[in-house]
Amino acid sequence: MGQGRFITIEGGEGAGKSTQIRALSQKLQSLDISFKCTREPGGSTGAEEIRRLLVEGVAGRWDATSEALLVLAARRDHLVKTVWPAMADGTWVLCDRFIDSTYAYQGYGHGLPLESLDQLHAFTLGEFRPDLTILIDLPVETGLERAHSRQDRETRFESLERDFHERVRHGFLERVKQDRARFLTLDGTQPLEQVTDQMIQAVLSRFELSVEE
Ligand SMILES: Nc1ncnc2c1ncn2[C@@H]1O[C@H](COP(=O)(O)OP(=O)(O)OP(=O)(O)O)[C@@H](O)[C@H]1O
Ligand SMILES: [Mg+2]
């Protein structure tokens, strides 16, 4: 059975993360690979409780440092309770947002020192990193238009100013530059099916999966 893989999907609001996670999970299902979809912040009971503290309520409820510590506490719980046990069982884990969102939002977006985030992650994760991170890159305008066309109450990040989202986008792209081998960057302005095809082809080839199976 072997060790399960850990794949994270990153990008700004409305980039298509949830849509592509669904597409990838259908593909894994068709290949008879056992998998689990999860998200951050959240993905375990304790981490979902912390998520509510983070995403509900007014902008500015937490200062950037408190927010980062809450995110990291949730991340640790998610890994310990959900991700690592699943992987040990041979289950693949597809995660909507992970460490790179912390760098992009709390680091590049809110200006927390990147070295502090490195230290927090060394403490929380050790050497553990995703086997693959799919970044869906998209102009800020397009992503926000898509996100705003949906109805939900998790609107705090979306209501922050436009410059902030530009810094976030830039932050994701900087993360890619620092660890190219881990990333697959997709152009999110392409039609949905095209983004899906590129993602599936890359996953099949990276993990040496045969489509015949
Ligand atoms: N490549 C695409 N072209 C056009 N529309 C798309 C594309 N990808 C996703 N969409 C649409 O954009 C909207 C947002 O997509 P989705 O919810 O997957 O984004 P997300 O990255 O998960 O957003 P959020 O960060 O808010 O959770 C949906 O209505 C989806 O159908
Ligand atoms: Mg989503």
Side-chain angles (χ1 to χ4, degrees):
M1 181 165 54
Q3 172 91 355
R5 306 292 191 166
F6 183 47
I7 302 177
T8 59
I9 306 211
E10 300 277 10
E13 280 86 55
K17 300 179 296 298
S18 303
T19 309
Q20 297 304 341
I21 280 206
R22 277 194 296 276
L24 183 54
S25 57
Q26 280 166 12
K27 187 68 195 177
L28 293 182
Q29 191 146 26
S30 78
L31 293 169
D32 247 349
I33 291 172
S34 105
F35 68 92
K36 189 183 217 20
C37 293
T38 180
R39 65 167 182 184
E40 284 215 349
S44 62
T45 309
E48 288 291 336
E49 286 178 31
I50 298 173
R51 180 188 180 95
R52 281 193 287 281
L53 296 175
L54 284 163
V55 299
E56 292 174 5
V58 293
R61 181 181 184 187
W62 306 107
D63 87 322
T65 303
S66 313
E67 184 169 273
L69 292 170
L70 284 167
V71 167
L72 269 287
R75 178 157 303 144
R76 176 75 195 177
D77 193 67
H78 178 221
L79 288 170
V80 171
K81 303 279 174 51
T82 303
V83 177
W84 290 337
M87 292 177 74
D89 261 5
T91 298
W92 290 38
V93 180
L94 310 181
C95 184
D96 193 333
R97 295 195 182 282
F98 194 60
I99 46 176
D100 303 296
S101 281
T102 308
Y103 281 87
Y105 285 85
Q106 278 77 38
Y108 290 89
H110 287 302
L112 276 195
L114 302 177
E115 313 78 65
S116 302
L117 297 179
D118 288 341
Q119 287 163 2
L120 284 174
H121 279 103
F123 179 58
T124 311
L125 276 76
E127 299 289 301
F128 179 76
R129 291 295 178 273
D131 295 298
L132 171 67
T133 298
I134 298 161
L135 171 65
I136 308 176
D137 179 54
L138 195 69
V140 168
E141 209 68 43
T142 320
L144 292 181
E145 273 165 25
R146 283 188 198 164
H148 286 148
S149 67
R150 290 173 327 183
Q151 296 269 318
D152 62 38
R153 63 193 172 131
E154 294 185 0
T155 54
R156 191 165 72 82
F157 283 140
E158 291 164 19
S159 69
L160 298 176
E161 80 278 18
R162 158 90 200 235
D163 281 1
F164 173 81
H165 291 286
E166 293 290 357
R167 292 198 299 279
V168 168
R169 181 187 188 196
H170 168 76
F172 278 124
L173 294 170
E174 286 297 310
R175 294 290 295 164
V176 176
K177 281 192 203 156
Q178 285 158 30
D179 194 0
R180 286 195 187 280
R182 175 162 66 86
F183 278 92
L184 166 70
T185 307
L186 299 172
D187 173 2
T189 63
Q190 303 174 100
L192 213 151
E193 300 73 24
Q194 215 163 306
V195 180
T196 302
D197 284 349
Q198 290 168 3
M199 172 184 70
I200 303 276
Q201 285 317 312
V203 168
L204 293 176
S205 95
R206 171 160 319 217
F207 300 113
E208 298 177 336
L209 300 170
S210 159
V211 271
E212 317 309 331
E213 278 167 5

